Amino acid sequence: MTTGSAADSLSPYRGLPPDLTDRIPPGQTLAIDWPVLTYALTPQTPDSAWHVVVDGMVTEARSWSLAELRTLPAESVTMDIHCVTGWSKLDMRFYGVPVRRLLDQVGIPPEAKYALIEAYDDCSTNLPLSHVMEDAWLVWAANGEPLDAVHGGPLRLVTRGKYFWKSLKWVNRISLLAEDSPGYWERLGYHNDADPWREQRSAYDEEWQRAVVIESHDETPTLRTLTLGIAGWESHNPGQHIKIVAGHGDSRFFRLYSIGSAPGTGRLQITVDRRDDGLVSPWLHRLRPGDTIDVSGPNGTRYVFQPGNHSLFIGGGSGVVPLMSMMRSCVRDHAGTPSHLVVSVKTPDDLPFAEELTGSARVCHTRQRGPGDTRAPGRLRSEDLADLIDTSGIAYICGSSGFVEHVGTLLLELGYPPAQIMAQRYGPG
Ligand SMILES: Nc1nc2c(c(=O)[nH]1)N[C@H]1C(S)=C(S)[C@@H](COP(=O)(O)O)O[C@H]1N2
Ligand SMILES: [Mo]
């Protein structure tokens, strides 16, 4: 099987009326659910303490409480959203106030040209002031429902015509500036302008490399590990991911996969969760030794292993993959770093890397007791983690968004400072 012929059977437009296909920018596919993309944990600020400040280059800075914002004339706005990781959703309906209404009240000198927008989770993004004036809303409802906390509730920005990272969740500050100042994502190397129709994903040209499948095997009924060989591959940091491309031309799709292998082995392993309704993961499962795929990376600067600290790794399902890279590197290269790995899987059959993890990791089952399990099945509980805690260390969580939020809350209750909890969520396959 060759990459090209397999990818020809993939279409981002599957099931979509033809008149909607021109609404999907290049390299994007439609998501069925609404994925959650958050670089850390959902902030815990209570609504009563919430405020939004407009300051910087203004005649008079001002602050609004949530209640005050809701008294401003609000409107409904419908837009398509496009996340740079490759998913889009059409006709999302938001409800809130145009940011212009706030700006009108602070007085804007002509020198103000840019806005830096900041959030309660310390994330930020920048936009030209002209774009904010015409095309940005502070919203508290989506598709007729109050905005979920994971999607930025009680208050987020939405802005049209830009990749969705510019739609900052949990907004608490808008500073007007004379000079442009990159936000969190833009400092990481995301494109400053972020137009999805021009594929302004990265500020840098992406380098694609040809990878050969060296070996592949099933880990579980749905997870399959691929070992890739890439000529001249430089090593990765444990926790980083690669981007893979399937298809070509108008039918290209990108997916991000965490690297599971330890660095410096000359082997690069990813583990793919097959989603039967997915486009890319069934195709990756069909690859055999000798087949090739195009990859770029390694990427990721935040969710990487920090040796020398007590390390608690907690993975849900295939979320254990980047933690495998961290743990393998920890055991091999940083023997002095105390570490524990906790894995939550539905049933004993769903445990990947079973040979390596049995005995060395704490395996917790959510649906079905394993042989010799004394623990009642169920999602992770405080007592599953309590004896492994060192609140001066770092906890690394990876799994679905629901898993990450749940375990994050447990760790905060167990005394971990928020800055020492590293979270990575799995997007849709
Ligand atoms: N405060 C904050 N805003 C954020 C993010 C974040 O991590 N923190 N992620 C961004 C990214 S990359 C995307 S794609 C969208 C995702 O919004 P959603 O989780 O509601 O889909 O929010 C953007 N705004
Ligand atoms: Mo995103």
Side-chain angles (χ1 to χ4, degrees), residues 46 53 71 95 184 200 205 209 219 234 257 259 262 273 284 293 320 354 397 402:
V53 176
T71 64
Y95 186 77
Y184 173 80
Q200 291 171 331
D205 278 343
Q209 289 171 282
E219 297 282 353
E234 290 174 22
Y257 283 99
I259 301 169
D273 205 344
L284 282 170
I293 56 173
V320 74
I397 315 173

Side-chain angles (χ1 to χ4, degrees), residues 34-41 43 81-85 87 118-125 147-148 150-152 156-157 163-171 184-185 190:
W34 184 4
V36 173
L37 269 281
T38 303
Y39 85 121
L41 294 176
I81 63 178
H82 311 290
C83 170
V84 71
T85 62
W87 56 266
E118 296 172 317
Y120 277 107
D121 65 345
D122 288 334
C123 196
S124 58
T125 194
L147 196 57
D148 265 343
V150 290
H151 288 302
R156 80 177 294 166
L157 186 88
Y163 280 119
F164 205 37
W165 84 74
K166 296 270 189 188
S167 288
L168 195 73
K169 304 194 273 193
W170 311 298
V171 168
Y184 173 80
W185 304 101
Y190 287 51

Side-chain angles (χ1 to χ4, degrees), residues 20 56 105 128 154 194 229 246 271 329 343:
L20 291 183
Q105 296 189 26
T271 297
S329 149
V343 192

Side-chain angles (χ1 to χ4, degrees), residues 190-412:
Y190 287 51
H191 199 288
N192 201 51
D193 301 332
D195 180 347
W197 293 99
R198 301 172 68 188
E199 285 210 81
Q200 291 171 331
R201 299 173 190 271
S202 170
Y204 312 102
D205 278 343
E206 237 167 328
E207 276 179 47
W208 291 95
Q209 289 171 282
R210 184 57 52 91
V212 184
V213 177
I214 295 170
E215 192 268 349
S216 59
H217 64 268
D218 289 329
E219 297 282 353
T220 72
T222 60
L223 296 180
R224 188 168 176 84
T225 293
L226 304 179
T227 303
L228 305 175
I230 305 166
W233 179 259
E234 290 174 22
S235 202
H236 67 279
N237 281 326
Q240 286 191 300
H241 54 269
I242 56 169
K243 189 190 255 190
I244 69 124
V245 64
H248 44 76
D250 282 346
S251 300
R252 279 175 312 128
F253 325 103
F254 304 107
R255 290 293 184 271
L256 307 179
Y257 283 99
S258 292
I259 301 169
S261 44
T265 62
R267 288 148 58 97
L268 185 78
Q269 287 181 323
I270 60 171
T271 297
V272 177
D273 205 344
R274 189 188 65 240
R275 299 205 6 168
D276 290 327
D277 59 349
L279 288 169
V280 175
S281 62
W283 170 74
L284 282 170
H285 269 234
R286 289 194 300 272
L287 292 179
R288 289 296 173 266
D291 287 340
T292 60
I293 56 173
D294 288 334
V295 309
S296 78
N299 298 118
T301 51
R302 191 193 53 84
Y303 194 76
V304 291
F305 179 51
Q306 298 169 34
N309 303 286
H310 176 280
S311 304
L312 178 57
F313 305 117
I314 309 173
S318 61
V320 74
V321 172
L323 306 177
M324 292 303 292
S325 181
M326 296 191 196
M327 195 201 62
R328 286 163 167 167
S329 149
C330 189
V331 167
R332 195 194 57 196
D333 306 325
H334 309 281
T337 298
S339 66
H340 304 282
L341 174 62
V342 179
V343 192
S344 170
V345 288
K346 284 181 189 152
T347 74
D349 287 343
D350 297 310
L351 180 67
F353 317 105
E355 213 169 287
E356 204 173 337
L357 293 185
T358 305
S360 71
R362 177 171 298 175
V363 181
C364 297
H365 299 113
T366 58
R367 300 268 176 87
Q368 182 192 313
R369 218 181 269 260
D373 263 7
T374 51
R375 179 186 180 276
R379 66 201 311 220
L380 283 185
R381 300 180 274 267
S382 246
E383 60 264 31
D384 296 321
L385 305 174
D387 61 317
L388 308 178
I389 295 292
D390 178 339
T391 54
S392 69
I394 297 180
Y396 303 84
I397 315 173
C398 186
S400 68
S401 179
F403 180 83
V404 167
E405 291 293 323
H406 171 68
V407 175
T409 305
L410 289 180
L411 291 178
L412 290 171

